[in-house]
């Protein structure tokens, strides 16, 4: 009988001790912090323009005046396309903007950032696409008389904005570097 009383006492004691008035919260999901190294700059020279790009990327000519700057570790790339202006500047700008705003259906927001460097005759815009769109950044630059260059960022994965945001931001900074170091050839 003593053992039953002792067991009963222990059960009641443990029940009272284990019940506290503390709020129980679920453990938050952990998120990886992705950081990418800042690479040194390399030169890309073409017959129509030159610029500096991140040496951690691989630059290659894809065809007639189409280039890819790929980032294998990020599974992403910046695709560039060059065209000569032949009285069609307005059409080229409209096509570039239309392509950027085609992502509006999946995007939460599209931020257009104009770029003007009159000393180097570089005029254009960078489009930051926020949300689960296929392309996170697009841009065009021109000298407004002869040269027109467009570019866009794509990842080789299903778009999930929260997951690819660090890589998208990194590539967007590389795009800014490309635009800022771009020089037209005459």
């Amino acid at each position: 009988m003593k053992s039953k009383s002792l067991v009963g006492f222990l059960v009641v004691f443990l029940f009272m001790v284990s019940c506290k008035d503390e709020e129980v919260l679920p453990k938050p999901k952990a998120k990886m912090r992705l950081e990418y190294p800042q690479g040194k700059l390399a030169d890309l020279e073409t017959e129509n323009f030159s610029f500096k790009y991140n040496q951690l990327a691989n630059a290659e000519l894809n065809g007639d005046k189409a280039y890819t700057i790929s980032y294998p570790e990020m599974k992403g790339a910046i695709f560039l396309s060059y065209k000569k202006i032949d009285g069609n500047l307005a059409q080229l700008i409209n096509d570039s903007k239309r392509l950027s705003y085609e992502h509006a259906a999946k995007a939460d927001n599209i931020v257009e950032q104009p770029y003007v460097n009159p000393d180097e005759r570089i005029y254009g815009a960078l489009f930051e696409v926020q949300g689960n769109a296929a392309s996170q950044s697009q841009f065009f630059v021109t000298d407004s008389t002869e040269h027109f260059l467009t570019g866009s960022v794509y990842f080789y994965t299903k778009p999930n904005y929260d997951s690819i945001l660090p890589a998208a931001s990194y590539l967007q900074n590389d795009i800014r570097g490309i635009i800022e170091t771009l020089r037209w050839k005459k």
Side-chain angles (χ1 to χ4, degrees):
M1 184 85 166
K2 280 185 169 182
S3 65
K4 284 186 178 181
S5 298
L6 184 60
V7 170
F9 175 75
L10 283 174
V11 168
V12 170
F13 176 76
L14 289 174
F15 180 73
M16 290 174 54
V17 171
S18 66
C19 295
K20 297 179 184 176
D21 290 334
E22 290 183 26
E23 185 178 349
V24 178
L25 297 174
K27 189 175 184 178
K29 292 181 179 178
K31 294 184 179 176
M32 268 183 15
R33 181 177 175 155
L34 299 174
E35 292 183 8
Y36 301 103
Q38 190 60 39
K40 294 179 182 175
L41 296 178
D43 293 317
L44 180 83
E45 295 276 339
T46 74
E47 64 185 66
N48 298 299
F49 60 88
S50 66
F51 62 78
K52 295 186 182 302
Y53 70 96
N54 188 333
Q55 198 173 25
L56 298 174
N58 303 320
E60 59 188 80
L61 177 64
N62 288 344
D64 189 34
K65 307 204 188 319
Y67 306 87
T68 300
I69 301 173
S70 59
Y71 297 77
E73 289 185 24
M74 291 182 213
K75 297 181 182 172
I78 299 172
F79 295 94
L80 303 170
S81 179
Y82 173 84
K83 294 182 180 175
K84 285 270 192 198
I85 297 173
D86 187 22
N88 58 346
L89 179 61
Q91 183 65 43
L92 291 170
I93 291 173
N94 286 337
D95 289 347
S96 183
K97 285 185 175 186
R98 181 183 45 76
L99 182 63
S100 296
Y101 283 102
E102 280 180 357
H103 296 283
K106 293 280 185 177
D108 296 332
N109 191 22
I110 298 177
V111 179
E112 183 176 343
Q113 303 164 14
Y115 184 85
V116 177
N117 181 346
D119 294 336
E120 297 297 333
R121 300 176 344 209
I122 301 172
Y123 311 95
L126 171 64
F127 301 89
E128 179 185 349
V129 182
Q130 301 168 344
N132 292 333
S135 176
Q136 303 304 314
S137 299
Q138 308 221 343
F139 74 94
F140 73 88
V141 287
T142 181
D143 67 349
S144 74
T145 57
E146 189 177 345
H147 305 288
F148 194 84
L149 181 68
T150 61
S152 56
V153 170
Y154 285 93
F155 291 94
Y156 305 114
T157 183
K158 181 179 178 186
N160 182 342
Y161 187 64
D162 292 338
S163 297
I164 64 171
L165 183 59
S169 296
Y170 185 89
L171 294 186
Q172 193 172 79
N173 285 333
D174 280 3
I175 286 175
R176 283 189 184 94
I178 289 170
I179 293 171
E180 290 170 0
T181 62
L182 180 70
R183 300 297 177 259
W184 304 117
K185 294 186 179 175
K186 297 185 184 215

